[in-house]
Amino acid sequence: MKASRSVISRPVPRGSLLARLVWTLWTNLRLVRHAFGRLRAADGILFTGSPPFLIHFLAPLKVLLKGRLVYRITDFHPECLIAARDRPSGGLKLLQRLTNFWRRRIDVFEVLGRDQWRRLGELGIPDERISLVRDGSPVAFPKERTVEPLPPELAGKCVLLYSGNFGVAHELETVAQGYQRHHQQGSGRVHLWLNATGVGATVLSHRLSRAGVPFFRSTPVPLERLAGVLLSADAHLITLKDSFVGFVMPSKIYACLESGRPLLFVGSPDSDVDLLARSEHGLSYLRVACGDAAAFADALEALALLQR
């Protein structure tokens, strides 16, 4: 058998939706063309949602393939594009219908959560074609844990850490308003550490800076240092907009749970983030509904009391 070769591609152009679409189509075409011989010979073909819309290239080829198509669905596309817009275009709705047409021709789905399972069920995918295969923590937490030192700006504070990508799927308004309320009307004991990238992290940083409330922004550390950073915080923050429930599963939940630190989730009880956090016995866990800034401020006060 010939050794496999990588398909090298330039970074995703994130500044334009049209440019991203062209990049996606071209990258998927190159991947399928490169692997076509192996695809025809395989007994099973496992693919994911990265890059998006690969299903539109593999499902039409199903009649030429002897193996089963197994779709490990991560983020739902184009549903994420639709959820990010107030008024989705007719083109996106047409793309969604076409995507659902091909989804119904997939042999097996692997989902990351029960919420994703429900979304597929709503599309008419039968339960016997779906299996739950969760992700795990990308980092290990050994018994002899090495804790990264806090940035000097956070020393002596009760630190709430958001680490990773803060993008369009993550709830921002509740955090911004509730955090300002905590510092302007409450004790102000909790300090947010945005160890994050993404448009949401930038917008939130600007909002908090204009409001004159303290926080600290940094960029994510290499993976080998992530466990130490997660252990250095007093609590972790996860957020997810209601419109993205079942379409996006925040993968950071697994490492946050393994760290053993208290967890504050801004999002719906229908998300598997809530399901996993509630099933973790002994974990201090708080959930706030999207849009309830007062409850977020109260949750921060509760976290501060835990650190006494």
Side-chain angles (χ1 to χ4, degrees):
M1 180 180 293
K2 294 181 180 179
S4 61
R5 294 183 292 113
S6 299
V7 176
I8 307 299
S9 179
R10 61 185 175 87
V12 182
R14 300 189 180 278
S16 165
L17 180 60
L18 179 60
R20 289 177 64 182
L21 178 60
V22 172
W23 179 93
T24 299
L25 295 176
W26 177 240
T27 301
N28 284 331
L29 182 62
R30 290 176 61 215
L31 285 171
V32 172
R33 179 175 176 273
H34 175 78
F36 185 69
R38 293 180 176 85
L39 292 174
R40 293 200 65 183
D43 295 319
I45 300 164
L46 173 66
F47 68 102
T48 71
S50 181
F53 303 118
L54 187 55
I55 187 175
H56 290 269
F57 292 79
L58 291 178
L61 294 176
K62 195 171 185 295
V63 294
L64 302 177
L65 308 175
K66 72 172 185 177
R68 297 193 309 166
L69 285 179
V70 181
Y71 186 6
R72 180 161 178 77
I73 194 161
T74 48
D75 295 348
F76 279 61
H77 295 286
E79 285 82 0
C80 286
L81 290 173
I82 293 173
R85 287 161 172 76
D86 294 330
R87 300 178 65 181
S89 66
L92 281 177
K93 292 181 178 179
L94 179 61
L95 180 58
Q96 184 181 32
R97 288 196 292 269
L98 180 59
T99 303
N100 289 335
F101 173 82
W102 293 125
R103 282 171 178 160
R104 287 188 283 270
R105 282 144 185 85
I106 296 298
D107 296 300
V108 177
F109 287 88
E110 292 183 357
V111 295
L112 306 182
R114 296 287 180 185
D115 48 3
Q116 291 188 334
W117 192 310
R118 290 193 297 271
R119 289 292 192 182
L120 288 178
E122 293 167 0
L123 299 177
I125 308 298
D127 285 348
E128 57 267 22
R129 287 165 55 193
I130 307 173
S131 61
L132 176 63
V133 183
R134 294 198 185 275
D135 282 335
S137 172
V139 295
F141 293 88
K143 291 183 179 180
E144 296 182 0
R145 299 180 171 188
T146 302
V147 179
E148 289 271 334
L150 283 172
E153 294 86 346
L154 296 172
K157 312 295 184 183
C158 178
V159 177
L160 175 65
L161 173 65
Y162 186 100
S163 185
N165 179 62
F166 201 130
V168 296
H170 304 107
E171 172 62 18
L172 184 151
E173 196 64 34
T174 308
V175 175
Q177 292 186 21
Y179 188 72
Q180 292 175 47
R181 183 171 181 147
H182 172 66
H183 280 271
Q184 294 169 350
Q185 303 175 30
S187 69
R189 290 187 57 206
V190 176
H191 285 236
L192 178 64
W193 179 8
L194 271 176
N195 184 50
T197 59
V199 63
T202 300
V203 172
L204 182 57
S205 295
H206 290 164
R207 286 278 301 273
L208 298 182
S209 295
R210 287 196 301 268
V213 294
F215 73 100
F216 183 75
R217 173 87 185 271
S218 62
T219 55
V221 300
L223 190 60
E224 59 268 19
R225 293 175 52 197
L226 179 57
V229 169
L230 296 178
L231 291 171
S232 68
D234 296 301
H236 295 295
L237 173 65
I238 300 178
T239 79
L240 184 66
K241 293 177 181 176
D242 290 344
S243 58
F244 284 84
V245 171
F247 296 141
V248 172
M249 177 62 187
S251 58
K252 61 182 294 176
I253 176 65
Y254 303 104
C256 290
L257 291 177
E258 286 203 27
S259 75
R261 298 295 190 258
L263 177 63
L264 172 56
F265 174 49
V266 182
S268 168
D270 294 330
S271 169
D272 265 36
V273 170
D274 184 73
L275 175 66
L276 290 169
R278 290 188 183 281
S279 64
E280 192 75 12
H281 301 295
L283 178 77
S284 295
Y285 170 60
L286 298 169
R287 187 190 68 82
V288 173
C290 292
D292 196 342
F296 186 83
D298 290 342
L300 296 181
E301 297 293 347
L303 288 177
L305 290 175
L306 288 176
Q307 305 310 313
R308 284 184 174 177

